[in-house]
Each structure stands twice: as structure tokens, then as C-alpha cells.
Amino acid sequence: MPQVRIIAKNFMDMVASMPAMKLDRLYENTFICEAILRSLPPLAKKYVLQMLYIDQPVAAKLMEEWVLQDGLSKHKVALDRLVHLRVFQETVDRKRETSYRLNPKFQANLQQHVTLGGILPREPMSFSISVKLPSLDELQAYALQQWECFLLQLISSGQSDKPTNISPSMMKLFQRGLLTQRDREAPKLTESGFRFLLMDTNAQLWYIIRDYINNAEERGLDPADLISFLLELSFHVPGEAYDMNTLDDIQLATIKDLADLGLVKLQQGRKESWFIPTKLATNLSISLTDTSSRKEGFVVVETNFRMYAYSTSKLHCEMLRLFSRIEYQLPNLIVAAITKESLYNAFENGISSDQIVAFLQQNAHPRVADRVPSVPENVTDQIRLWESDMNRVEMTHSVLYDEFPSRELFESACDFAREWNGLLYEDSKAMRLVVKIEIHDQMKEYVRRQR
Amino acid sequence: MVNAIKGLLISCDIPMAQFIINLNSSLPASQKFIIYKLDNTHLFVQPTVGEMIRSAISEFRDQNSYEKPA
């Protein structure tokens, strides 16, 4: 099953796209150096470690000899990546020989890391009085609940019970691209919005965080500060409490937003307050592809187009409502019907039949998931048929030419249009042809020249 | 002298083409939009009527379906 993804990029691509000056500043932070090292492809990792204690530039030619002939492409990819991230600094000497050396700051930080071992960015708090910290399971549940609440608010503002304190303008920003915003009309989910809902949590999280970082400047924050804080956060131990007083002002403002997303849980004691990172936060710096932990499905589709969803989540209900008719809701069960009308609604919103079928298959209840096919064939076929029914009429803006003085001219005009890949229709008996409107100018020019 | 007309090329199946032809003939002469009936499955129409035809088709489709009241 191909994973639907709006963006293939991850955190590190974002880091790589930063201007050189900012990157150098980022590397002053040990944790970022470590995160970068972790994110590298295996060969690049090896090179970094190999060069760790070499203080002089190493010639590119020499490095090429480190690999066998078949490994050259991987070697190039690794070098590219390293240079791109400015982990390697490229120098060209007078003889036009390229050589590389590690970024000195990066090198110093990593050397320190190797000798001293990893230190946590801040020490977990030790409590003199016994304070009950949430268990890991509770924390995970909290994170998912928070995230779901956020998603629900994202797709249908006003639906969630407890509003998050993410500002409406920020919400608008996240919604941009996911929802269509028309005046006087309830916002609707777009195609990419639907795909967004189908992604796994980590990919979704990254999508939102990316927007959050991209917008840091508008809020008067430096994206570099934000990235370094987020990366730092991913090195905290989930489930441990950390003192809020160790954060600076920018971080304090950020952490409130992160709490809304479920990345951290904020708690307050009698005197001090602390934050507890959740799994969502610690997964941030891990490359997204590694964490495709499949959630258990919940949908059973029957051959009579009935759909039973064993779920208590409002979010699931909203997602099903996009393309089906919710018949009734029980405490742990949503019963829906896939109807022609409900599907037409979905198609009008730009959701395709393939996306719907893929969604049903990916979320099939464990009871039916190992059946082949997990969604009855007559249902999937009918969904596709209904979609093709929508597209029975095809319209193209075009230009029609007729009254050709001679058959030769007509035929050469046809050939010309075909060459430009713009011929839509030809009728040699009546000597008419229809071409795409884009090549009208060329056509006009051509016919004029022929006379 | 070659003559060029800007318009919309419609390609569809035969029943749909008949529906559009019927729609065209039901309108008063001033609003007729079909320029040429090219063949069974191709029509050439005024460039501005695309939306109108689409909405007429979806109206026709809605007439043929029944939605259970909620």
C-alpha cells in the first residue's frame, strides 16, 4: 500500500534548507549536532565518524578510494547530503583539487559528545514531596487525545468540546491548504486535507510543525530558535518532569502551543510548574519513515453498503461523514451507509474514489482485515462506477477551424496540430478540425504561412 | 478562407449527447448554444455555457435519485 504523503520532506530537509549562517549557529547546540548525525544516511554517518578526529581537509580523490566502484553513487549521495547540511566544508585549493573537512563547531561538539557521553539538556526534577506523575500509558493516551482534539478543531471548528488556546489566526494558518475557505460557506476539506487525515500521526504532526516553524517569523520568532528548541525537546525523556523555570521566554510561549498539540503535558505543583514531554515530542527528530506503526483498524464494510465503525472518537465520525451517511451513533459504534448522494458530496469536495477505497482498506477492522478483499468488491466497484458517472461529460476549451480551401491544406493543418499535441477532433469529410485553445496562435500563424 | 471559431468541445457518451441536444432545443432561439453537432459523441458549443450544462446534468441526475430523509 503506497503511503499517501503530502510532503516527503522531514525535519532534516528543513534544517538543510536554512541559510548557512543560521546553520552554523544551530551547530553550537550539541543536541542538534547529535540529531543531525542520527538523521544521516549510513554511509554519511560513517564518514562523519571517520573524520571526527581529523583536523585537516581530506582530498575528495582520497575519499573516493574509500568505496568500491559500485558504491560510488551512494558515496556521492552521502557527500551531497553532508555538504548540503554544511557538516562538511568544501575547499578548493590552487590545483583545483576539492577537499573536505568537518565543520569545526560540529566536530568539537561531537568530540565532546563522544568523550563525555550524552548529557540531557536539563535535569529531570526530583520531587521531595511525592507528586503523582502520569504513567507512560496515561501520557500516551493524553497525547493522542490532545492531538485528536486538535485535529477535530482543525477540520470542523466549533465541534470539539474543549477548545484549545491556539489562536484563531494560527488555526486559519494550519487550515490553509487543507480546507477551502469561501465566504458565507462552511469550510470544506480539500483533497490534500483528506490525504492529510489519512496520514499517520507522526506525518501529520510533522506537517503541522512545519507550518508552525515556517510562520515563526510572522510571530516575531527566529525559526532557528524554534528548530533548536524542538530538536532539544526530542532528547528529553518522555514521562519525566522538567522544570519550567529552565525555559526562556520564547520557549515558554512555544511550549504552551506544543501542549495543545499534545507534545508536552503541563502540570503545576504548589510552587513550581513543570512540563512532561510525551512520545509525540521525542519522535519528532526520528526520520518519519521509521515510525509507521500501524494503528488498529475499526471499519467493517458489508456488501449491502452498510459501514460499521467501532470507534468512540468524534474525529473518526467526522472523517466518515465526509463520504458516507451517518445513520446512528452508539457509544462505541458508528453505523453509516455509503450512498450515491454521500459519495457525490465527497467527489464534489475533490476526494477521489481511490482515496476512499484506500481509506476503507487501511482502516479495516482486524476481523475483516485478513479477508481478501477486506472491503467487498461490489462496494469498491460501485464507488468507482459512481465516480466515473460524475465524469461522463468532458469539456475542453478549443478552437474549431472549417472552410478550408483545399484538402491538402486541411491535412497539413491536421498534421501540424498533431505535432503540437493539440488535435482534439478531426472530421475529414466536412474538413473540420478542433484544436486546444493553447495552440490557436501557432495554428493561425501556420495557416497564414501556407497560403 | 479558413474560418476559426472559439468554443467548447464536449465529448461524452451518446445518451449524454442526446440530453445536451435536447436541452439546447428546449431553449429559445436566442439562447441556443450548440454551434456544431460534430458526431454522435462530440458537440461544439459556445464557450460560455460549460457551467450551465454541468448544472443541468447534475439537476437531471438528482431527479433520478432518492435520498432517504434524515
Side-chain angles (χ1 to χ4, degrees), chain A residues 224-282:
Chain A
D225 286 340
L226 210 55
I227 289 182
S228 76
F229 179 51
L230 283 167
L231 280 181
E232 211 175 284
L233 199 63
S234 66
F235 281 91
H236 288 62
V237 183
E240 294 284 348
Y242 296 94
D243 195 347
M244 291 274 264
N245 291 332
T246 54
L247 301 176
D248 58 31
D249 289 345
I250 300 168
Q251 295 173 337
L252 270 178
T254 313
I255 207 150
K256 293 222 171 74
D257 290 333
L258 298 183
D260 280 332
L261 297 179
L263 264 69
V264 292
K265 187 177 168 74
L266 304 180
Q267 277 191 335
Q268 242 175 0
R270 204 170 301 162
K271 264 190 212 141
E272 61 265 277
S273 49
W274 58 89
F275 65 95
I276 310 165
T278 68
K279 272 264 165 57
L280 285 182
T282 44

Side-chain angles (χ1 to χ4, degrees), chain A residues 184-412:
Chain A
R184 280 179 292 143
E185 220 177 285
K188 281 179 187 160
L189 215 60
T190 61
E191 196 184 330
S192 58
F194 193 69
R195 267 192 309 204
F196 172 77
L197 286 181
L198 295 183
M199 295 190 293
D200 62 76
T201 313
N202 276 315
Q204 287 174 339
L205 184 66
W206 161 242
Y207 186 85
I208 292 296
I209 291 290
R210 191 185 59 143
D211 271 2
Y212 189 75
I213 295 173
N214 282 340
N215 264 280
E217 262 163 15
E218 284 171 31
R219 282 174 288 127
L221 296 177
D222 188 348
D225 286 340
L226 210 55
I227 289 182
S228 76
F229 179 51
L230 283 167
L231 280 181
E232 211 175 284
L233 199 63
S234 66
F235 281 91
H236 288 62
V237 183
E240 294 284 348
Y242 296 94
D243 195 347
M244 291 274 264
N245 291 332
T246 54
L247 301 176
D248 58 31
D249 289 345
I250 300 168
Q251 295 173 337
L252 270 178
T254 313
I255 207 150
K256 293 222 171 74
D257 290 333
L258 298 183
D260 280 332
L261 297 179
L263 264 69
V264 292
K265 187 177 168 74
L266 304 180
Q267 277 191 335
Q268 242 175 0
R270 204 170 301 162
K271 264 190 212 141
E272 61 265 277
S273 49
W274 58 89
F275 65 95
I276 310 165
T278 68
K279 272 264 165 57
L280 285 182
T282 44
N283 280 350
L284 256 186
S285 72
I286 305 174
S287 152
L288 291 170
T289 43
D290 312 342
T291 52
S292 53
S293 58
R294 302 277 275 116
K295 278 180 277 180
E296 198 150 86
F298 57 97
V299 184
V300 180
V301 183
E302 288 189 340
T303 51
N304 58 5
F305 294 86
R306 276 295 183 97
M307 194 158 65
Y308 300 93
Y310 291 88
S311 166
T312 53
S313 135
K314 265 193 166 174
L315 179 67
H316 287 156
C317 185
E318 283 308 308
M319 284 168 76
L320 295 179
R321 204 189 290 281
L322 292 173
F323 63 89
S324 68
R325 212 179 99 100
I326 307 291
E327 307 249 278
Y328 31 90
Q329 266 178 285
L330 304 177
N332 69 340
L333 175 71
I334 303 160
V335 180
I338 300 176
T339 66
K340 192 170 150 186
E341 290 72 30
S342 67
L343 280 176
Y344 277 172
N345 268 336
F347 297 146
E348 266 161 34
N349 291 342
I351 301 168
S352 75
S353 63
D354 288 336
Q355 286 172 340
I356 295 173
V357 171
F359 172 79
L360 292 176
Q361 282 166 346
Q362 277 167 10
N363 288 289
H365 193 276
R367 279 286 185 92
V368 290
D370 26 293
R371 232 185 267 166
V372 178
S374 56
V375 179
E377 253 168 353
N378 73 321
V379 177
T380 52
D381 285 352
Q382 189 63 64
I383 292 177
R384 292 202 176 101
L385 278 175
W386 275 330
E387 187 188 39
S388 66
D389 193 43
M390 288 285 283
N391 306 324
R392 275 171 78 179
V393 177
E394 198 186 314
M395 300 184 192
T396 339
H397 279 284
S398 50
V399 182
L400 179 138
Y401 301 87
D402 58 1
E403 291 173 33
F404 282 90
S406 69
R407 187 150 291 274
E408 289 83 56
L409 181 59
F410 171 74
E411 255 145 35
S412 72

Side-chain angles (χ1 to χ4, degrees), chain A residues 147-200:
Chain A
W147 181 245
E148 201 156 277
C149 185
F150 167 76
L151 282 185
L152 197 60
Q153 208 186 11
L154 194 68
I155 59 168
S156 56
S157 330
Q159 279 271 355
S160 79
D161 318 323
K162 55 167 192 181
T164 54
N165 60 19
I166 290 185
S167 65
S169 63
M170 194 97 118
M171 213 47 169
K172 275 260 155 56
L173 195 107
F174 290 146
Q175 284 168 344
R176 191 180 51 196
L178 300 179
L179 298 178
T180 56
Q181 314 252 351
R182 274 189 223 124
D183 297 333
R184 280 179 292 143
E185 220 177 285
K188 281 179 187 160
L189 215 60
T190 61
E191 196 184 330
S192 58
F194 193 69
R195 267 192 309 204
F196 172 77
L197 286 181
L198 295 183
M199 295 190 293
D200 62 76

Side-chain angles (χ1 to χ4, degrees), chain A residues 325 327 341 344 389-390 392-405 424-425 432 440 447, chain B residues 1-13 36 38-39 44 47 50 53 57 61 65 67-68:
Chain A
R325 212 179 99 100
E327 307 249 278
E341 290 72 30
Y344 277 172
D389 193 43
M390 288 285 283
R392 275 171 78 179
V393 177
E394 198 186 314
M395 300 184 192
T396 339
H397 279 284
S398 50
V399 182
L400 179 138
Y401 301 87
D402 58 1
E403 291 173 33
F404 282 90
L424 295 169
Y425 176 87
R432 278 180 195 148
H440 177 52
V447 173
Chain B
M1 182 60 208
V2 179
N3 189 21
I5 315 166
K6 281 186 189 173
L8 211 53
L9 178 76
I10 297 183
S11 46
C12 55
D13 48 63
Y36 286 113
L38 298 172
D39 62 16
F44 194 74
I53 294 176
I57 292 172
R61 209 165 26 214
S65 66
E67 189 165 6
K68 204 162 69 174

